[in-house]
Amino acid sequence: MDLLVSEITTPSTPLLFAAATSTIGMSSTSSSSSICSSEASEDSPAISFRFELQDVKYDYPSKSLSAGACSYRPLAVLSDHVGPVSCLALCGEFILSASQGKDIIVWQQPDMRLFTKFGQGDGSVKALVSVGNKVFTAHQDSRIRVWKVSRRSENVFRLVDTLPTTKDYLGKFMKQSNYVQTRRHHKKLWIEHADSISCLAVYNGLVYSGSWDKTLKVWRISDLKCLESIKAHDDAINGLVACKGMVYSASADGKIKAWGKEGKRSHSLKGILEGHKDVSLNSVIVSDDGKWVYGGGSDGFVMGWEGSYDFVSWKMVSETKAHQMAVLCICLAGEFLFSGSADKNIGIWKREAFGKLSKVGVINGHEGPVKCLQASPNIVGGGFLLYSGGLDKSLRVWWVPKHSTLQNTEEKSISLC
């Protein structure tokens, strides 16, 4: 990594508690996954140093390569995980990547030094989000673990609770009315997920969890209490995102559903965004203004919907054949949309007028399906960093120029001096 970054010798304010001086617009999932505060506290990680990418330039190979195809080289290939990399999340100055229950790695941005590891339990970690000084991780064992970020001890990421909490259990297990039938001859408390938790989202003091048990649950961050359990879909929930008071859930039933909450009332269904027939929707993302919703399908399409001004209706406005195999993940970074696929490639798309997508390039290099993507909001060397996790057990870091375009038909690759 010495060729990619150089360390600034003067300590600076920790990125964990100070916004970067140059940022790009990010999707709501990215913005909600940052640990930021107006000032540092004793529960914050220790001060670190800033790094910056230097001397980035383009190298133009032979024109004989197919026009319109961009080639990107990874800045780093990190193979420290014991299993497939299943999820990524920004956490202030850190990027978190997870595989197995005891295999959550904390990386320092942007030089990607391994800062620490933490975790608990068996099975894979399906999702993680961060808010305030807490990190929430969703596990294959149907539980959510809550970690506190603190610098008061060597264990910076310390397990503080598991959802549902013991207090929640004790308050509900005695009443039969609190039990729901999950399958034949088997019941669980309504606050429990009955299958793997596949996705998490954070918004306005609440954590949302989606599961293969087809339910969407709502948790209050302040006391970790489960407030609602919604029978949301007819098949597994694969993705969640929250923005502008709306929560969107993507499901294997081929639908994205929009959920809203007014005052102290429970969440209610506000709309259904229909995808392709008999096609699973594996991921969902929404623009910062809440107007555009995009979903990735098992047929390789990225579909886009436009929401009305008052968010009471949505219409499909774009259908883009992005990959030859299933789209497993998508993320937004300003005007760019990235799609990761079972075909091992990452598509780069520019958002145009009326929700349309135009192709910018393709990133390849993973030796297995691309399961998760996360873009950094910080401008680095005239572009930004894109992180990708794959079933090949690797985390890869890419630099994407902010003004990527296909208007120049010369093949571009990135090199660093």
Side-chain angles (χ1 to χ4, degrees), residues 164-181:
T165 63
T166 301
K167 183 178 180 181
D168 230 355
Y169 271 115
L170 294 177
K172 293 180 172 63
F173 85 100
M174 291 292 290
K175 295 183 67 173
Q176 286 298 315
S177 60
N178 287 326
Y179 288 83
V180 294
Q181 187 164 329

Side-chain angles (χ1 to χ4, degrees), residues 97-310:
S97 60
S99 175
Q100 303 299 318
K102 298 184 179 69
D103 189 33
I104 304 172
I105 300 180
V106 183
W107 308 91
Q108 186 96 39
Q109 291 190 88
D111 62 314
M112 298 305 289
R113 295 180 185 178
L114 196 156
F115 181 77
T116 188
K117 285 188 177 185
F118 68 99
Q120 187 193 61
D122 298 320
S124 62
V125 179
K126 298 294 186 180
L128 48 83
V129 294
S130 67
V131 59
N133 65 340
K134 291 185 175 69
V135 174
F136 295 81
T137 57
H139 295 251
Q140 191 173 353
D141 63 6
S142 308
R143 307 295 295 276
I144 299 172
R145 289 169 174 82
V146 186
W147 309 82
K148 187 176 182 181
V149 185
S150 174
R151 65 178 180 181
R152 289 184 296 182
S153 65
E154 293 183 1
N155 189 4
V156 177
F157 290 78
R158 179 169 56 89
L159 181 66
V160 293
D161 224 325
T162 303
L163 305 184
T165 63
T166 301
K167 183 178 180 181
D168 230 355
Y169 271 115
L170 294 177
K172 293 180 172 63
F173 85 100
M174 291 292 290
K175 295 183 67 173
Q176 286 298 315
S177 60
N178 287 326
Y179 288 83
V180 294
Q181 187 164 329
T182 56
R183 58 181 183 268
R184 190 177 182 184
H185 306 309
H186 191 82
K187 290 185 176 182
K188 278 183 173 287
L189 288 172
W190 65 265
I191 60 176
E192 298 179 89
H193 278 296
D195 208 335
S196 296
I197 301 171
S198 56
C199 46
L200 296 171
V202 177
Y203 186 79
N204 197 27
L206 301 174
V207 172
Y208 299 86
S209 60
S211 170
W212 291 350
D213 67 8
K214 311 172 190 177
T215 67
L216 169 65
K217 297 191 190 299
V218 185
W219 313 81
R220 189 163 54 207
I221 294 175
S222 60
D223 59 1
L224 303 179
K225 182 178 181 181
C226 186
L227 303 179
E228 298 178 55
S229 180
I230 305 167
K231 178 63 170 68
H233 287 273
D234 296 325
D235 209 332
I237 298 176
N238 295 323
L240 283 175
V241 66
C243 181
K244 299 291 184 182
M246 303 295 296
V247 180
Y248 299 87
S249 57
S251 170
D253 65 11
K255 299 180 178 66
I256 294 174
K257 293 188 178 181
W259 308 90
K261 176 178 169 64
E262 298 176 3
K264 295 184 179 180
R265 297 180 180 178
S266 299
H267 287 76
S268 60
L269 182 63
K270 299 298 183 181
I272 299 177
L273 290 65
E274 295 277 357
H276 294 165
K277 185 177 180 181
D278 298 325
V279 170
S280 171
L281 287 171
N282 299 323
S283 54
V284 59
I285 202 71
V286 61
S287 61
D288 287 334
D289 59 8
K291 185 176 181 180
W292 309 101
V293 179
Y294 295 92
S298 60
D299 58 354
F301 276 82
V302 173
M303 291 157 270
W305 293 264
E306 180 184 9
S308 60
Y309 177 77
D310 51 1

Side-chain angles (χ1 to χ4, degrees), residues 54-74:
Q54 293 185 339
D55 300 323
V56 178
K57 71 177 184 179
Y58 289 116
D59 176 36
Y60 296 94
S62 170
K63 291 184 182 181
S64 63
L65 297 172
S66 59
C70 295
S71 177
Y72 297 88
R73 299 173 185 170

